[in-house]
Amino acid sequence: MNLYLCIAAMAVTTYLIRLLPMTLFRKPIRSRFVRSFLHYVPYACLTAMTFPAILNSTESVLSGLAALVTAVVLAFRGKSLITVALGSSCAVLLTEFFITHI
Amino acid sequence: MTAMKQQSTYTRGLHRGLGVGVGYFSVSFGFGAMAAAQGIRALDATLISATNLTSAGQFAGLTLIVAGTTLWELILTQLVINSRYALMSLALSQKMGRDIGLLPRLAIAFFNTDEIFALAIAEREKLTTPFMLGLGTMPILGWTGGTLCGALAGSVLPLGIRTALGVMLYGMFVAIVVPPAREEKPVLAVVVLALILSCLFAWMPGLKTVSAGIAIVICTVAAAGICAVLFPVPDEEVAA
């Protein structure tokens, strides 16, 4: 599949989702189900995209697991977005260092 | 409105969006690094960010493109993952009122991300076109610039560092999900449900053959749908 065709398809779809409710269909959504559904969508899709994919995103499952555990612990303690992200990166570096040198 | 007044309103929006712009730079740095690690050229990764301006959607799209997907699967995935923007655009549309015409809306809709939406809704003064355009400027620059830097860094750094950088994006997803899951039981339920479904699609014989995009779509629709029935959100929360 042509890369630019893919990028265009993604961009147009995302733009229309944002544009149409701002221009053509401007009535508020009354259905409580639809509003609840849309409220929960980000959490569901971010979770599904992260796990178990994170385990296979690094050289070994161990370092992927280390990244996940570090991120969850840091996020649970309320650390900022960038701290959590860098923390999980460091966990990967350290784990892979130990795996290759020990 | 005079030209000078317009300019000062634009500057006010610019300042208001600065923090989000800086934050976007770091998140998209992770996206760029990951794209480079998967063999996407730096300028192509930058093009994705400049035209899409959405973290989760882009990330899913990237995964699908690398895996070799069909156009329909790509579009369906974007529709589901980015569906929440429809709700935000509706709310923002109400708040903007009649004073902001069709032409500015064409631009504002493009950069209606979660964070810019939150800033616009929190704004006490009346929303104007120059303010909204100012608000979007730094986040767009940060998101696009961060992707370029991340992709360039990702293509020159040694493999070990590249892999570590690629994990950043997952770290950020965790950082978005965990705090509300800790506070709100319904969100925790959504997360646990999505987790179980996602594992089934990854490891269960039979389900394993389902392609990545469709698996994400099914996990998202099922988890969000079931929890929307079990724990409907209170009315005032979505009035924002």
Side-chain angles (χ1 to χ4, degrees), chain A residues 34-97:
Chain A
V34 175
R35 286 188 287 112
S36 307
F37 176 80
L38 293 177
H39 177 70
Y40 292 132
V41 158
Y43 305 112
C45 82
L46 288 181
T47 305
M49 286 196 296
T50 303
F51 197 84
I54 190 171
L55 300 179
N56 299 316
S57 68
T58 53
E59 296 297 294
S60 84
V61 176
L62 267 184
S63 56
L65 191 65
L68 179 67
V69 172
T70 309
V72 170
V73 169
L74 289 175
F76 196 83
R77 293 190 177 174
K79 303 291 179 201
S80 72
L81 206 73
I82 187 73
T83 311
V84 176
L86 286 177
S88 57
S89 278
C90 291
V92 173
L93 279 180
L94 283 175
T95 317
E96 292 193 348
F97 178 82

Side-chain angles (χ1 to χ4, degrees), chain B residues 46-76:
Chain B
T46 312
L47 182 67
I48 297 179
S49 284
T51 53
N52 279 265
L53 214 71
T54 165
S55 63
Q58 279 183 216
F59 171 74
L62 176 72
T63 316
L64 295 184
I65 289 172
V66 171
T69 176
T70 63
L71 216 49
W72 292 116
E73 190 178 348
L74 198 59
I75 291 172
L76 180 66

